[in-house]
Amino acid sequence: ADTFAAVAVLSATMTISLAQNCVDASPLPYLLVLGDRDEVFPWNGQMRAQDGTVFGSFSVAQTMSYMASLNQCGPATATTDLTATRSIVRVIQQRLTDCADDAEVLLYALPEVPHVWPVPALVVLEAGGVGTIQDAIWAFFLAHSS
């Protein structure tokens, strides 16, 4: 939080090793964009052990819960379909609010989308109009730039 105003993570859930380094992190607005068919960072996570050490990545639910805990978010969750009319990809937003320092936690879930970028999705932007996922990420950064 001393270096960045917000963070957006594309096609990757929280890893075990990164989570261990973030335990005492200050609240930071967080946006995760992930397809539910991602084969590199599976929606339901992945774990493996090698020489007594566990490696892997959290599921989306675990990642969101972990970030909500770090950001001290309340239980309020809102789910919104942001998919614009002409989009060939659906975008479902899950928003955790009532967080410390206004450090909301967002998920843009992309049904039927594998590990690919850029995603050909059009979304209804919070400020109005239609834009790409990249536009939505930029709007997220702008909302947390002060």
Side-chain angles (χ1 to χ4, degrees):
D2 294 336
T3 304
F4 299 101
V7 63
V9 178
L10 312 175
S11 298
T13 55
M14 179 66 71
T15 64
I16 292 171
S17 60
L18 184 58
Q20 292 169 344
N21 293 329
C22 294
V23 172
D24 295 322
S26 298
L28 185 68
Y30 178 85
L31 169 62
L32 171 61
V33 180
L34 188 72
D36 70 357
R37 298 293 168 97
D38 195 307
E39 65 281 359
V40 178
F41 284 88
W43 191 264
N44 293 317
Q46 59 184 346
M47 301 291 169
R48 64 180 168 75
Q50 181 179 348
D51 300 325
T53 303
V54 177
F55 300 92
S57 58
F58 291 1
S59 69
V60 169
Q62 290 168 321
T63 298
M64 296 296 287
S65 178
Y66 182 81
M67 292 307 302
S69 175
L70 283 179
N71 289 357
Q72 303 164 35
C73 299
T77 302
T79 302
T80 308
D81 189 332
L82 298 180
T83 311
T85 305
R86 300 180 325 269
S87 184
I88 59 172
V89 173
R90 287 186 62 216
V91 180
I92 308 300
Q93 178 192 67
Q94 180 184 4
R95 175 176 276 177
L96 304 172
T97 57
D98 191 26
C99 307
D101 301 331
D102 293 323
E104 67 182 337
V105 177
L106 295 176
L107 167 66
Y108 288 172
L110 309 170
E112 307 295 323
V113 174
H115 190 81
V116 61
W117 192 258
V119 176
L122 296 175
V123 298
V124 176
L125 299 170
E126 201 166 303
V130 172
T132 64
I133 289 283
Q134 294 90 322
D135 295 327
I137 293 168
W138 184 244
F140 173 76
F141 285 142
L142 287 176
H144 297 288
S145 64
S146 54

